[in-house]
Structures are given as structure tokens and as C-alpha cells.
Amino acid sequence: MKVAIVHNQEAKTIEVTERLKALLTQSAIQIDGQRPDLVISVGGDGTLLSAFHKYSHLLNEVRFLGVHTGHLGFYTDWRDYELEELVNSLQTNQEQSVSYPLLDIKISYLDDKPAKHFLALNESTIKRSNRTMVADVYIKNELFESFRGDGLAVSTPTGSTAYNKSIGGAVIHPSINAFQLTEIASLNNRVFRTLGSPMVIAQDEWLEIKLENTEDYLVTVDQLDIKESNIRSIYYRIAKERIHFASYRHMHFWHRVKDSFIGEG
Ligand code: NAD
């Protein structure tokens, strides 16, 4: 097995990463940042998102695994004091994995510039800096609504507990192959009307968000900010690719949700 490690720069994370590297070397597990079978992120959910984007060209070959050095994360199953157990599992256990849907994003432009493609693990948002965003929302090429407000967020099931949840979206079990459209502060009155509630879009459907022609859009893809002018439309659908997580241990999704957001009471 060849392992790559992606970590953040916090002092505790660097110390944990050094211990992990030593344990892997002792166990004759090769560290290979170029062509890994397994990518271990050490840090938080943000670190796992960075690891996903760094290795998104190898999605069919790699599995991901997260060690968290802070509070319990959504993509991080192992604690920093469980490194021995983790390395032991890598040596002895079967290579089990679980896969989850990703979001395919295509940005098309008003000029001749070729369209750009992105993959998101959590979500993509479209916002305008300081003015009302005006956009037409199409579902499978049919106009559904004209949106006015701060912006729109489109999230994956695993991303449903991230930004999507903060703006009132539903938490979706990651075994459901669907994506979600959530409004950010929509203007709803007698003149402007949108559905006003989050929508779960099926796997064989696609969204087109057709934007009014202005220069000041901010498009995000997970942690990435894309500031571009001349955007005509952004298309969203479930990606052909999926992310594979190494599942040496299983944590029930709703248990994780309870643990993160409610606690034991
Ligand atoms: P970060 O690592 O500081 O993450 C921000 C917070 O979001 C952390 O508490 C992290 O644990 C949590 N988070 C990330 N993915 C999650 C998930 N799938 N489920 C539950 N919680 C999750 O910041 P970053 O590195 O810039 O991460 C980018 C992500 O942060 C974005 O994809 C977005 O979802 C999230 N975010 C959330 C808000 C918000 O809730 N208001 C605002 C901005 C960004």
C-alpha cells in the first residue's frame, strides 16, 4: 500500500503527522505523494477538502481517510491518539471502502472562452458582492423560477451538514444519490417569488443557473473562490466520479450528526 499525507500547518497537526510517518515507516508502508492508494488527511474537514482537490485526478484509484487533530469532523474518523490502531488496521484489515456522490459544475461564458469544469465534495455557491443577485433557475432546461437575493448554494449529501445546513438546507443521508439547491436570503414579495424552500434534485436531473450579465459574481467550489466575469450560466449535476473513503471503522451517519450538532444533552 502507498500512502500520501496531506496536513495543515498547525503545530499539533505537524507533530501528529511526524508520528504517523514514523509508524508507517516502521510498518513498511510506503509514503508516496505522487501515486498513492490511500490519502490520509491530518487536521480538520478543511484539510480533507484540500486533500480531495489535490488528488481529484486520481478518484478512481485512491481512497481517503481523515485523522482529526481538533474537534470531531465530518470527514475525519480517527483521533490523533489512535494512530497505532489506525496503522495496525491498514496492515491487517481488508481494503473496504464506501463511496459518496460529488457535484459536477460547469461554468459557461458569454464570450468564446471554453467552459470550465469543477468537482465539489461539499458545495458550490454563487453570490454577488454587494448587490442583489438576479438569476433564472432552470431544471432540465425548463425555467423553474427567477431568483433575486444574496445567492444560491448547491450541495452534495456529504456537504449538506456544512454551509448548506447554516442556510436552512436539509441534512441528507450520503447514501442518497442526489444534490440540493438552497437559497441564500431570497427576496420574496408580491413582485418577486421563488419556492423559498430547499429542493432535492434527482440524480438524472440537472440545474442551470443563468446569470444576469454583470461582472461581480463570486463562485465558490468548496474552499476555492472563482472570481470571473462574463459568466453566462453555471450547470450543476451529480458527477460520474465518486469519492471513496477507506472504511476500517464505521460510524453511523445519524450518530455523527447527533454527536456534532446536538451532543449527549
Ligand atoms: P473550515 O475548515 O474552517 O470549515 C468551516 C467549518 O465547516 C468547520 O467547522 C468544518 O468542520 C465545517 N465543515 C466542513 N465541511 C463540513 C461537512 N461536510 N459537514 C459538516 N461540517 C463541515 O473552512 P474551510 O477549510 O474553508 O472549509 C470550507 C467549507 O467550510 C465549505 O465547503 C463550507 O461548507 C464551510 N463553510 C461554512 C460556512 C457556514 O456554515 N456559514 C461558511 C463558510 C464555509
Side-chain angles (χ1 to χ4, degrees), residues 44-47 49-50 71-75 121-124 127 156-167 220-224 260-261:
D45 288 325
T47 321
L49 288 170
S50 305
H71 61 91
L72 177 64
F74 258 79
Y75 294 118
L121 176 55
N122 267 355
E123 80 285 293
S124 168
K127 296 173 191 160
T156 63
T158 50
S160 70
T161 45
Y163 185 67
N164 168 73
K165 185 176 179 299
S166 302
I167 53 170
T220 68
V221 175
D222 297 333
Q223 300 138 318
L224 182 72
S260 293
F261 295 112

Side-chain angles (χ1 to χ4, degrees), residues 113-179:
K113 208 156 82 171
K116 285 189 185 169
H117 272 275
F118 300 89
L119 285 177
L121 176 55
N122 267 355
E123 80 285 293
S124 168
T125 67
I126 317 167
K127 296 173 191 160
R128 255 187 98 182
S129 50
N130 200 23
R131 306 291 304 275
T132 304
M133 183 174 112
V134 178
D136 286 336
V137 177
Y138 290 76
I139 303 177
K140 284 180 91 173
N141 299 338
E142 273 193 34
L143 180 63
F144 181 76
E145 62 184 13
S146 293
F147 175 87
R148 279 178 165 73
D150 280 6
L152 290 164
V154 184
S155 60
T156 63
T158 50
S160 70
T161 45
Y163 185 67
N164 168 73
K165 185 176 179 299
S166 302
I167 53 170
V171 173
I172 296 189
H173 195 286
S175 64
I176 296 171
N177 214 15
F179 62 107

Side-chain angles (χ1 to χ4, degrees), residues 6-19 41-44 47 67-70 80:
V6 176
H7 62 88
N8 65 30
Q9 291 306 319
E10 284 173 24
K12 182 174 181 193
T13 303
I14 291 172
E15 183 257 312
V16 171
T17 304
E18 289 310 315
R19 271 199 291 132
S41 92
V42 186
T47 321
V67 175
H68 58 103
T69 52
D80 47 22

